[in-house]
Amino acid sequence: MKVMVLGGYGNFGARISRALGGDDRIELLVAGRDGKQAAAFAAALPGRAQGVAVDMHSAGFAQALQNHGVGLLIHTAGPFQGQDYAVARACAQAGVHYIDLADGRRFVCDFPRALHAAFVDTGRVAISGASTVPALSSAVVDALCKGWQRVDSIDICIAPAQTAPRGVATLRAVLSYCGGPIQVWNGGQWQTHIGWANPKRVAFQRLRPRLGALCDIPDLELFPARYQVRERMDFRAAVEVGLAQRAFAVLAWLRQIGLLKNPSSLAGLLNTTAKLFDPLGSALGGMVVRVAGLDAAGNPAKRAWHIAADNDHGPEIPCMAAILLARRLAGGEPMACGAYACVGLNTLADFAPEFAKWGMVTDVVEEG
């Protein structure tokens, strides 16, 4: 299968390209606006890899996909917050499978309703959110709560390493809801909370405790319905340096009082200045997923899954679901045509070889 990675030499796209480049079932197209950079990157990859210049915003993008004979497109060119579905629609028009790494709440949650009919008509599959959230997070919750009678709460926190490679697009996505209102399922009802305000202490198995602040991601909307959560669905991010975490809280406050209307405009500056905090941090990052409810026997249960990623390998995690799905499609595995949020499409066991490849350590802890 010919697979095009859009943004294929970027922060996440490069990782996916490296992972797929040596697969003999895949002819890889590393795609981006800079054809020379794409070609240089592709030349260093194993297997059949080629760099191509494409403009995903052009009116002829669908025709370009057909001209290149693309069978699957993996869209990594974020941020997805505020982005439309033009790339996915072009894939449907061209008869191409589609996967993206979106973590924007509206982008992922509205994706099936907007595009399902188009991909059914063309006989292809489109998957949004093939990343840490909601792909990996749903796989973890599925594993932790298997057979349970009831889920009362789900609490998730990602904790990136301070020295891990950063991308301006990722930071721009984070800042898009810093200080903005977020609808959260809490106390058995929808409530309005503020993004990145009021950080709380989060404990990890192999990381030091950190301050975690509320993020607006698809899980907040998808999981209460999927798991019939009775009490709370919470998602936080915890940067390693506490001073940096508090700086985000200040930005949230400034937006709330009207002194900072668009925090995203600071993404480039903050991405550069973040390096000043590197001596205070480390190369160790991770994630924790905590669930509480009634187990198969009807007994109260609390369980947590932890992952620790050292040596700045944490950014590999958001790429894993897309890599796994691409391999399945390239191998000819049939998937139901249509458009879907990436919830429950991979099992936690599917991720295990990828974790092992990068020396990542996982723990399941009974906390009840």
Side-chain angles (χ1 to χ4, degrees), residues 18 24 37 44 72-73 78 89 91 96 99 127 129 133 157 166 176 185 254 273 285 303 307 343 365-366:
R18 293 190 191 102
D24 58 11
Q37 189 172 353
L72 164 66
L73 180 133
R89 293 190 190 282
C91 287
V96 174
I99 297 172
I127 301 168
V133 294
C157 185
R166 293 173 286 265
S176 68
W185 183 253
L254 290 174
T273 57
R303 186 176 291 167
I307 186 168
V343 177
V365 180
E366 301 292 341

Side-chain angles (χ1 to χ4, degrees), residues 334-350:
M335 294 188 185
C337 300
Y340 307 93
C342 196
V343 177
L345 298 183
N346 291 304
T347 68
L348 187 55
D350 293 336

Side-chain angles (χ1 to χ4, degrees), residues 78-100:
F80 291 89
Q81 285 81 354
Q83 193 175 137
D84 61 24
Y85 296 130
V87 172
R89 293 190 190 282
C91 287
Q93 182 180 342
V96 174
H97 295 300
Y98 169 94
I99 297 172
D100 68 45

Side-chain angles (χ1 to χ4, degrees), residues 168-181 194-196 247-271:
V168 175
T170 300
L171 190 53
R172 188 175 293 118
V174 166
L175 291 171
S176 68
Y177 50 80
C178 181
I194 302 300
W196 284 94
F248 278 107
V250 170
L251 293 178
W253 175 72
L254 290 174
R255 180 177 179 180
Q256 284 182 272
I257 64 174
L259 293 182
L260 181 62
K261 294 184 178 180
N262 183 21
S264 295
S265 64
L266 301 175
L269 174 63
L270 293 178
N271 188 59

